[in-house]
Amino acid sequence: MEEKDVVYLEKKDGGIAVIYLNQPKKKNAISAVMMDKLCGYFTELDRDDKTRVILLRGAGDNFSTGGDLSQGGPDMTIEDSRKLLRRYIAAVKAIRQIGKPVIAVADGYVVGGAVSLVLACDLVVASDKTVFIPNFCAIGIIPEMGIMAMLQQVVGAQRAKELLFFGKRFGAQEGCDMGIVNRVVKKEELEEKALEYAQALSAIPANSLSITKGIMNGAADPMVGAVMEAESTASPFCTRTLEYKEMVARFSKK
């Protein structure tokens, strides 16, 4: 069997492209290398006239458990951390700016920065077994990858603060009730229903979708961009605090 890269692309019939986060043994924990490859695929697909709709999903049973904590190390400087985070931010920008609709296909755990990736997408299909955990503050860092802007745009400021302050976990149906998830389906039907959703979207004139997405994201994204610029400096600061180091040490013992 051919070994697939940490992010890989499959093209389906009807102009559907599927991008997989492919680290199932790590529950698709996202690394900077994965985000670089994700950006590359979005650039490629944006230029491909045959591609009409893009699905973004995790390989295996989970979308992603968030940032890969094995990156970096004690010698990493604040400047290094900032450069690393900006590679994640670039992936969010790529999703927001590509002129084709992107559907997140969520299953299993969607944690931390993975919630940001899902929010960056245009539509979300989730299995009934999906658990969202926007866990940042609870581990001593600030919310990253634009989530502080995108989440409050969807659910409102007060609810967004509660979710982010406490890292409150919620299921797919609650996510649907809040407006984060568009459709909730049975886990065993996720692939089939996500493809059906994408095929229905691909039947709509591409220019109409592209222009509508561009206008809507163009109106919302100045706030998202400003938040990501600020977090690229603020988050590396948090990783140098004693509280954060204590939390990492506690998690490493588990």
Side-chain angles (χ1 to χ4, degrees):
M1 182 181 294
E2 181 184 355
E3 185 175 347
K4 293 183 171 68
D5 206 343
V6 294
V7 178
Y8 71 93
L9 170 67
E10 286 185 352
K11 293 187 179 181
K12 308 285 188 180
D13 293 337
I16 311 299
V18 186
I19 301 176
Y20 291 86
L21 306 178
N22 185 38
Q23 287 278 61
K25 291 182 179 179
K26 288 187 172 185
K27 296 181 180 177
N28 298 320
I30 51 179
S31 66
V33 170
M34 291 173 76
M35 297 299 94
D36 292 343
K37 292 181 180 294
L38 194 62
C39 288
Y41 279 127
F42 279 116
T43 299
E44 175 187 330
L45 293 172
D46 203 23
R47 297 170 179 169
D48 179 14
D49 292 337
K50 293 181 180 179
T51 297
R52 299 177 66 88
V53 179
I54 301 162
L55 298 176
L56 176 62
R57 62 176 305 169
D61 293 327
N62 297 283
F63 184 84
S64 170
T65 52
D68 187 344
L69 297 180
S70 67
Q71 295 181 111
D75 296 329
M76 179 173 278
T77 65
I78 288 180
E79 291 84 358
D80 292 335
S81 296
R82 187 171 189 270
K83 289 178 182 177
L84 191 71
L85 178 56
R86 291 181 77 83
R87 291 161 71 182
Y88 288 76
I89 288 171
V92 173
K93 290 180 177 178
I95 295 170
R96 302 288 293 180
Q97 294 172 1
I98 187 172
K100 297 173 184 183
V102 182
I103 302 174
V105 182
D107 192 18
Y109 283 109
V110 184
V111 182
V115 183
S116 306
L117 286 180
V118 167
L119 283 167
C121 295
D122 303 296
L123 299 167
V124 182
V125 179
S127 86
D128 56 0
K129 303 300 183 183
T130 305
V131 179
F132 296 90
I133 311 175
N135 203 22
F136 297 95
C137 296
I139 61 171
I141 60 175
I142 66 165
E144 296 175 341
M145 299 168 65
I147 193 172
M148 287 186 280
M150 294 185 292
L151 186 59
Q152 69 172 306
Q153 287 172 345
V154 175
V155 307
Q158 302 305 107
R159 180 172 280 180
K161 287 174 185 175
E162 182 181 35
L163 292 172
L164 294 174
F165 288 173
F166 291 100
K168 183 179 180 295
R169 66 172 58 204
F170 56 92
Q173 187 56 55
E174 188 175 356
C176 189
D177 294 341
M178 288 189 287
I180 294 169
V181 175
N182 296 94
R183 295 193 176 185
V184 181
V185 302
K186 293 181 180 179
K187 181 180 177 69
E188 58 271 21
E189 297 178 349
L190 179 60
E191 184 167 0
E192 175 190 354
K193 296 298 184 182
L195 280 173
E196 286 179 1
Y197 199 33
Q199 287 162 354
L201 194 59
S202 71
I204 297 169
N207 285 330
S208 298
L209 293 176
S210 179
I211 294 169
T212 300
K213 172 177 177 171
I215 292 172
M216 293 184 73
N217 284 3
D221 281 357
M223 179 180 176
V224 178
V227 164
M228 290 195 293
E229 185 61 34
E231 76 186 35
S232 68
T233 298
S235 188
F237 164 79
C238 288
T239 64
R240 294 301 180 274
T241 63
L242 180 60
E243 284 181 316
Y244 176 76
K245 291 175 182 177
E246 289 174 347
M247 292 299 301
V248 170
R250 191 181 308 169
F251 276 100
S252 66
K253 292 177 182 178
K254 292 184 179 181

